[in-house]
Every structure is written in structure tokens, then in C-alpha cells.
Amino acid sequence: MDKKLLRKLVLASYTKGNLDEDKVAKIVKYLKKSELREYIKALKLFEMQNTVLVSVTTDKTKDLKKHFEKIFFPKKVYVEYDKSLLAGIKIADFDNIYELNLKNKLENLIKHISE
Amino acid sequence: MKNPDEIIKSLEKKLESFDQRLEVKNVGRVVKNTDGVIVATGLSLAQMGELVEFSDKTLGTVLNLDEDSVSIIALEKSDHIEEGDEIKKTGKLLSINVSEDILGRVVNPLGETKDGKVKIKKGKDMPLEKIAAGVVEREPVNTPLKTGIKPIDAMIPIGRGQRELIIGDRGTGKTAVAIDAIINQKGTHKKGQKPVYCVYVAIGQKQSTIAQVVEKLKETGAIDYTTIVVASASDAASLLYLAPYAGVAIAEYFMEKGNDVLVVYDDLTKHAWAYRQISLVLRRPAGREAYPGDIFYLHSRLLERAVKMNKQNGNGSITALPIIETQANDLSAYIPTNVISITDGQIFFQTDLFYSGIRPAIDPGNSVSRVGGAAQTSSMKSVASKMRLEIAQYNNLAAFAQFGSELDEETSKQLERGKRTIEILKQPQYQPLSEGLEYLSIYLATSGSLDDTPLEAILRFENQYHEFMKRKYQNIIDTLDNGQKPSEDLLKKIDKSILEFKKMFKV
């Protein structure tokens, strides 16, 4: 299937930024088995590219979510509480990870010592 | 053992930079793992050939950059890598850490030791992929690299900085000649001589064969100036693919310091097979014999790194002896023709010659050195210049003699001389000769001194003559070792020594 057409189908599967199951069901009816595989793969990739996961060491996640939604608009933002970071924050925006936490600093120090 | 104060200083320096800077990493996730090739999403900032690290510290290198995915070959066993595993960019291209301590060691293409000894001292990171030196930085090949093997030094001379292909069927003595060339470099590690360091790259060989090579180099003392890079038959195809580049990277470390280096690639046929395997798994389009389209570039960019640098650029050199295995002596196959067109000559090993007792089984008719006389000393040139022609003439006459026709005296004489020349060029394995002894052997044949010696006694005559000369006329050998054309006076002394020895020799 043509990449442009695939992209159009993926964009057409969404309503107001959320995956619309009815639209997906309609699209799927017209696809062959191999095209369906490509479509599902493209949907998964689109979801990954448009999702931001923010890990923080505080459980006050609601305010933080609004704040990051403004920064990463129009992507979907999920904020989770992760105490293993010790202190700081970790933002995963598809293949870019922004680290500003104690856990990461300590891991870097350990790596430096072992080298 | 590092000084504790040094360790503390390094830690303090690291802790000083323990600040509030945001760290940005570019990562990917494994989508598919097939036969050592991993397809991942993400890694949008990855470079071609960049080193990446999996979550369990396994290393890989990026070989394909597609629109939505990246293909990576694992450099170690990758069966445990699962879908969803995280992959990190390292920001580094493939390199091998080289220091003086790498001499005498057996390593893999990543620089990890394989001989069970201590870790190699940290040195310089040499990139595996590098653009070869340009035309301006080079100078013509003008210094001989003596292999110690009579037919090669006489008829197919190799110079420092040359690429000479060793090609032939399996079991014809190709590796033996390469090992003898390495052993003969021991003579260059003396005062007053420019030493030649050696790198032996074993690609796809059996581990038992590699162990034998290591043992022989240790026995002869050649291991002290040799590094062995191993990617055995049981290693991943990615390591077989990288092994020759690791070998030349090690050679470049020594070359940049102004040294001469000899690199043996044993063998590039298996290297091509490994690259074909990787390319097919990466779904790259297959061409002739299922090799990928850039199979020529695979070898050309490797062999172009063999170089003779000019004085302004350090005066170092890398001489390459790539080995190619043919099937049924077919020189016109794909990979052999590719590598023949890249190299500065070839030494062709014939199966028929091998089984008829001519060892090394070199076919002088099909072998050539495009550097030629420029890579030969004056003394060798003076004695061996007509040898190739004489052997070719003998081969033509020998065909007629088979018909049993009566031959005139001149033709018979030529035939007998040809037989003796071919006989004198035979040489046992692991016994490379110094230039002086090579000169004497070839002089025996070309001067006609062996015309009255039976064919079966030629090699025994040669051996005993060498012993005689070492005992009584070592000064003649030392003079010949200098490489200068012998004076009339010296030639007379040599003739006298031959006559003297003949009186003692028992047929």
C-alpha cells in the first residue's frame, strides 16, 4: 500500500485526537490481509509518535498533566508516579527521552567508574 | 593497576559536573529480531554505522536507515533480544581500542581479548571505517617486503604498501605462504632495520586452524610483533564482516607512527559470504550470485587503506595480502575477478602443481606483481630477472618433450636447466630464507652450477650448501643480505665456494 494513502487512512481513523473504533471498523472492511497488517503497524507507530509519557516522583499529577499538554500539544500526555527516579523527572516523547533525575545521574556515575 | 589518587580525582571531576543539565537521549524499541538482524522503531537520530546498545548491554551497529525503522546487526549473540526491548544510541561509530600492548595478542573485531591474558591497556580508538589516504599523501612503492619465499621474492616481488592477492583452491598452501611471510619479518626487528609489524585476520576459519597458526607464530617468535584478529566460523556474521576492518584499523595505528605493517586477510571469500548473508537478511536487493550490489565496494574500500605514505605524512606503510579461495581454479568467478581488479598483482596457486610436489604451488605464468622491479633489491634483480622467462620457455619445451621426439643438445640443455630451476624453487613450510640465502639458491640454478647434479639431489645440495656457506662464508651471506648488486669480485668468490662445496658433496 502507498505510504501516503496509509497515512491518510491513519489520520482518518481519529476523531478529536482519539482513535475512533467505528471509523476503524469501516476502514478495515475494505482492506486485504497484507494491507490490514500495514494499517495496524501504522496505527501503532502513529500512537507511539503522538504519546508523551511523563514520569515524576510526586503523586500530584493532574496539574502537571495540564502543564505538559500545553507544551506538547496536540500530543496525548500521560503522567505517572515513579518513585524509582528518586528525584526529578523523565519525559518520553516517542524516541526522545529527556532525563533530569537522580537515578539517571547515579547510573552515569556508575558507568563512569566502571570505565 | 590505577593509582587510587587518580581514581579519586576522576570521580571528583565527574561529581563537579553533577549539575541540573537536562540529558536528552534518542532511543528505539525492538520490533523484530531475525537471524541476528534487529528491526527497531525510533532512533530517528541514529547515523549509519553507529554503535547502539541494547538494554542488556549487547552492542549492535546500524546498517539500514529506513523511513520508519532502523535495521541493526547485533555484534554478539542476540537470541535473548525481545520485541519491545529498548535500544540506546551511543553517539560513537564502530572503533577498536589499540595500544602497543595489542602486539602478541589474540583479539576479536571489537578489541576483546580471546587469549585468556590480561586486558589490553587503553590506547587510541581507531575507527573501523575510514576514508583511505589521498593521492597527495602517498608515494610509489619502493621498498621490498621480503617474504623469504624464493619464487615470490624472485619472480613476484612484493613491496611495502602493495596489495598482492594470494589466490587458489582450498588446500594449496595459501595460508602457509602468508604465515611464512609473517615469520620472515623477524629479520626486520634488528638494529639498523625498519621493523615490520604484522596483523593476521582470521575470517571464518576453524578455531583449531587458528590455534595452530597461533602456536606456530609463538614457536618461531613471530608472535611478539604480530596481532591476531579472530572471527571464527562459529562467530556471528557481523563479526566476520567487521574483522578485516578491525585488522586494518590496528595496522593504521602503527602506520600513523611511521611504521611498516603487513596485514593478511584470510580469507576474503568468507568475508564476502558473511556480507551476503547480512545483506540478504536486511532484504537488500540481490545481484549476481546473490551478492549485494556493493560487494565490490566492500573489498575496494578495505584494500585502498593499504598505503605507502610519503615522508611528509610519516613514511609508514600498510602492505595487504588478501587471500581468496577459488573453486576448481576458476579465476573468472565474481569475487576473484573483483579482488584481482583491485589489487596490485596476484600469486596464483595451482592444485596440479601442489599434487605434483611443487610446493609452494605457485604458477608463475598466471602470477604477477604490478610493482615489479621497484620492489626488488638490486641483488635479487640481477640474479632473477630472466627466471620467469626461462621457466615459461621450459614449460613450452616440456610439452614437446612429452612426445618422446629426439631433441638437439641445446634444447636438452634448456630442459634440464628448467627442471633444476623449478626444483630449486621448492621450499618447505615455515622455513623462510634470508635474502642472502635466496640469492645463493637462485644463483646455483641460473649460473648452471646444478647442471651436473641429479634432479633428486638438488634440494639436498641446496640445504647442505647453505649450511656450508653459514659455516665458512657467513661474510658473503651478510654482504648479499644488504641487497646491493654483487660486485665481480663477490661473484668470483661465490663461484669458488660452489666449486669447493661440490668436491665435498656426495651425490
Side-chain angles (χ1 to χ4, degrees), chain B residues 123-144:
Chain B
K124 190 178 173 187
D125 277 328
M126 301 299 294
L128 260 56
E129 293 279 5
K130 192 180 171 188
I131 295 171
V135 174
V136 174
E137 295 152 307
R138 298 176 188 238
E139 68 175 18
V141 172
N142 53 27
T143 315

Side-chain angles (χ1 to χ4, degrees), chain A residues 30-88:
Chain A
Y30 297 102
L31 297 177
K32 288 181 221 169
K33 197 176 176 181
S34 57
E35 289 169 343
L36 181 63
R37 239 183 263 134
E38 280 179 49
Y39 172 64
I40 293 169
K41 218 169 140 182
L43 273 178
K44 279 185 181 172
L45 186 63
F46 188 78
E47 275 291 308
M48 280 196 287
Q49 285 170 337
N50 290 281
T51 304
V52 176
L53 179 64
V54 179
S55 308
V56 292
T57 52
T58 169
D59 44 12
K60 291 173 185 170
T61 56
K62 273 188 185 167
D63 296 332
L64 281 168
K65 187 173 177 179
K66 282 181 188 168
H67 176 72
F68 283 108
E69 275 172 350
K70 280 183 197 168
I71 298 170
F72 288 104
F73 181 81
K75 294 186 183 183
K76 276 182 274 188
V77 175
Y78 296 96
V79 181
E80 63 169 12
Y81 170 58
D82 185 359
K83 63 179 179 181
S84 70
L85 296 178
L86 301 172

Side-chain angles (χ1 to χ4, degrees), chain B residues 404-456:
Chain B
S405 50
E406 276 197 33
L407 301 162
D408 60 282
E409 200 189 315
E410 191 59 41
T411 312
S412 300
K413 215 176 159 185
Q414 210 171 355
L415 271 171
E416 290 305 312
R417 178 71 65 88
K419 281 180 193 171
R420 277 153 182 77
T421 307
I422 285 170
E423 193 66 21
I424 206 84
L425 289 177
K426 289 181 185 176
Q427 192 167 342
Q429 204 177 352
Y430 308 133
Q431 291 179 30
L433 297 173
S434 69
E435 180 160 4
L437 292 175
E438 281 185 326
Y439 180 94
L440 289 170
S441 293
I442 292 165
Y443 185 77
L444 280 173
T446 54
S447 64
S449 306
L450 293 175
D451 289 352
D452 52 357
T453 309
L455 201 59
E456 343 36 90

Side-chain angles (χ1 to χ4, degrees), chain B residues 167-170 174 269 324-331 336 348-349:
Chain B
I167 185 167
D169 275 9
R170 56 176 175 77
K174 304 183 295 296
T269 313
I324 289 277
E325 188 179 288
T326 50
Q327 305 294 324
N329 292 319
D330 184 14
L331 283 182
F348 184 43
F349 282 74

Side-chain angles (χ1 to χ4, degrees), chain B residues 295-311:
Chain B
I295 194 73
F296 184 93
Y297 182 53
L298 176 79
H299 291 146
S300 65
R301 72 179 188 268
L302 169 72
L303 295 172
E304 270 300 295
R305 288 163 77 175
V307 67
K308 173 83 179 87
M309 300 299 270
N310 57 26
K311 286 192 178 66

